[in-house]
Amino acid sequence: MKKHIVFLFASFVLISCQQKEKNTKDINSQENYIRYATGLSIQKYADFSIVTVSNPWPSAEKNYTYILHKQSAKIPDSLQKYTAIQVPIQSIVVTSTTHIPALELLEVEDKLIAFPNTDYISSEKTRTLIESGKIREVGSNQSLNTEVLLDMQPDVIIGFGVDGEKKTYDNLQQNGLKILYNGDWTEQHPLGRAEWIQLFGVLFGLEKKADQVFKTIEKDYLEAIKLAQKATLKPTIFSGAIYQDQWYLPQGKSWAAQFLENANGNYLWAATEGTGSLSLSFETVLEKAQNADFWIGPGQFTSFEQLEKANPNYKHFKAVQNKNVYSFSSKKGKTGGIIYYELASNRPDLVLKDLIKILHPELMEEYELYFFEKLK
């Protein structure tokens, strides 16, 4: 009898271990369905999803994992240590204007209850909600109004950071609020930033809709690349402008530089390494770009008069002489926010089409520029 009990106990332990091993294996083997974004991973199961954010800001020292689960979901013991958020959520606070278009594309902008620096928001739909008092002002991103947020008790706060400073978020989390970091802005592939809409899809239980929206953007973007390849000429391009005696322009592997490459343009600094910005002297830029065909993205300048007042030497560039300077800074929302900064990362297809229209107008004769505008 004693041997029989020992055998049953041993069998139970063996079965339990095998089941636990099987469950762990199943969890680890589920594929991430994110394809372009390098800082986001989503593994979907029947009642929950494992979301991992690996690069919420440059040089982040750790990954952040979240379990987005249905109300009745049974979360495996191995996942209990991670922040759990019940979905679909009914209220949200986001902290970057780049999050606004994702909410609107999913038609859940009415779930947004607060935002820091609401004047930066350009979208007419969301501005209407702000003006009607449905979206509250909660300070600035680095100094959120914790009292208001604790009083509002949103289901989740989407955190945004540039340098890892997160004392405010830590304080909110210690007081019971759910913080989920978003690193869309660190992505370098144009479609990688747009793919972060999939995160909002999981939060709101709208995975299929988010996937459909993204696939439409992806299709339009890839088709635009094919169209650009039909161009017979590859115009030369430079970018950026002088700030405090240094000319800042995109490095060759950056988000902005990839758009120019995909538009079949010859960005003069395309061969440089890095995904950030180059800091060069005016003379260095003039030597290389004096005869470039286009100047695209000249900082905050929106007119040639502004260019000349800021630095009379800008006139030495052929692109200035030929009036081939295009800026996205002239198109602004009601309260002064630049539309490009809010929407471009979510709609790379529109950015690319703009650039093709500028560089190869013969390929898109009927298209009207969405973000960019020739300097006046």
Side-chain angles (χ1 to χ4, degrees):
M1 180 68 177
K2 187 175 180 180
K3 290 182 179 179
H4 182 61
I5 293 173
V6 171
F7 174 76
L8 286 175
F9 177 76
S11 299
F12 174 76
V13 171
L14 179 61
I15 292 171
S16 297
C17 291
Q18 288 175 339
Q19 187 65 42
K20 183 176 181 181
E21 182 181 351
K22 180 178 182 295
N23 291 340
T24 304
K25 183 179 180 181
D26 287 345
I27 290 171
N28 293 334
S29 65
Q30 188 73 9
E31 289 187 8
N32 167 33
Y33 63 80
I34 300 300
R35 294 178 292 126
Y36 295 94
T38 59
L40 175 66
S41 168
I42 302 177
Q43 297 168 280
K44 185 170 176 58
Y45 299 85
D47 294 327
F48 64 89
S49 295
I50 304 175
V51 173
T52 303
V53 177
S54 59
N55 196 34
W57 47 81
S59 303
E61 296 180 353
K62 69 173 186 177
N63 296 342
Y64 293 84
T65 300
Y66 310 90
I67 309 303
L68 277 51
H69 64 91
K70 295 180 182 178
Q71 185 175 6
S72 58
K74 293 183 179 179
I75 309 301
D77 291 343
S78 60
L79 302 179
Q80 293 289 340
K81 60 184 176 180
Y82 301 119
T83 298
I85 302 170
Q86 184 177 315
V87 296
I89 60 170
Q90 299 302 317
S91 61
I92 190 171
V93 173
V94 300
T95 52
S96 169
T97 57
T98 61
H99 306 158
I100 301 297
L103 300 180
E104 293 189 353
L105 287 167
L106 295 176
E107 300 181 295
V108 291
E109 66 275 2
D110 61 320
K111 305 298 184 185
L112 179 64
I113 60 174
F115 186 88
N117 293 319
T118 54
D119 281 350
Y120 287 140
I121 296 177
S122 299
S123 166
E124 292 183 8
K125 288 177 69 175
T126 303
R127 288 231 59 83
T128 299
L129 294 172
I130 294 169
E131 290 163 6
S132 65
K134 294 180 180 179
I135 299 174
R136 296 180 64 176
E137 171 72 55
V138 284
S140 65
N141 189 49
Q142 295 299 322
S143 183
L144 295 172
N145 190 322
T146 56
E147 290 184 8
V148 172
L149 290 170
L150 289 171
D151 180 59
M152 298 184 79
Q153 289 290 307
D155 289 340
V156 67
I157 298 173
I158 305 298
F160 163 78
V162 297
D163 56 8
E165 174 54 54
K166 54 187 183 69
K167 289 181 181 178
T168 300
Y169 291 127
D170 288 344
N171 181 39
L172 289 168
Q173 194 153 7
Q174 288 167 8
N175 281 279
L177 295 185
K178 306 288 188 179
I179 308 296
L180 194 161
Y181 291 109
N182 183 309
D184 58 358
W185 72 280
T186 67
E187 300 289 345
Q188 300 308 320
H189 194 294
L191 288 172
R193 294 192 182 186
E195 198 171 20
W196 279 75
I197 192 175
Q198 305 276 18
L199 171 61
F200 292 97
V202 179
L203 284 169
F204 288 99
L206 296 171
E207 293 95 333
K208 290 184 179 179
K209 186 170 186 176
D211 193 51
Q212 182 181 23
V213 169
F214 175 70
K215 284 181 177 177
T216 299
I217 293 171
E218 177 191 28
K219 177 177 176 291
D220 289 349
Y221 191 89
L222 297 178
E223 287 180 352
I225 291 178
K226 290 181 180 178
L227 178 63
Q229 295 306 312
K230 295 180 180 179
T232 55
L233 298 176
K234 198 169 185 177
T236 49
I237 308 160
F238 68 107
S239 187
I242 293 176
Y243 177 73
Q244 295 184 347
D245 297 326
Q246 288 292 301
W247 192 304
Y248 293 93
L249 57 140
Q251 291 180 318
K253 306 302 180 185
S254 66
W255 183 73
Q258 288 192 53
F259 276 115
L260 299 176
E261 179 184 353
N262 290 340
N264 201 12
N266 178 13
Y267 177 50
L268 295 176
W269 278 268
T272 59
E273 295 296 325
T275 58
S277 297
L278 291 167
S279 174
L280 305 173
S281 67
F282 177 90
E283 292 76 17
T284 300
V285 176
L286 180 64
E287 181 181 2
K288 191 166 188 174
Q290 183 172 3
N291 293 313
D293 298 308
F294 291 93
W295 182 359
I296 296 178
Q300 301 300 310
F301 296 119
T302 59
S303 70
F304 287 103
E305 182 181 0
Q306 289 177 348
L307 276 181
E308 293 171 7
K309 285 184 178 180
N311 192 325
N313 290 319
Y314 282 140
K315 67 183 179 183
H316 295 300
F317 290 95
K318 187 180 81 171
V320 174
Q321 298 164 9
N322 293 344
K323 308 296 183 185
N324 279 333
V325 184
Y326 289 82
S327 174
F328 53 72
S329 297
S330 59
K331 296 187 177 182
K332 299 179 180 179
K334 187 176 180 179
T335 52
I338 296 175
I339 294 172
Y340 182 89
Y341 291 148
E342 180 172 307
L343 184 57
S345 61
N346 290 267
R347 294 302 305 273
D349 53 324
L350 296 179
V351 178
L352 183 56
K353 288 176 183 178
D354 271 14
L355 294 172
I356 295 171
K357 174 67 174 182
I358 293 168
L359 301 177
H360 315 291
E362 73 282 359
L363 297 179
M364 303 188 72
E365 294 181 358
E366 303 299 321
Y367 180 80
E368 293 185 9
L369 296 178
Y370 191 93
F371 293 111
F372 289 87
E373 191 171 68
K374 181 178 282 192
L375 258 62
K376 300 173 182 176

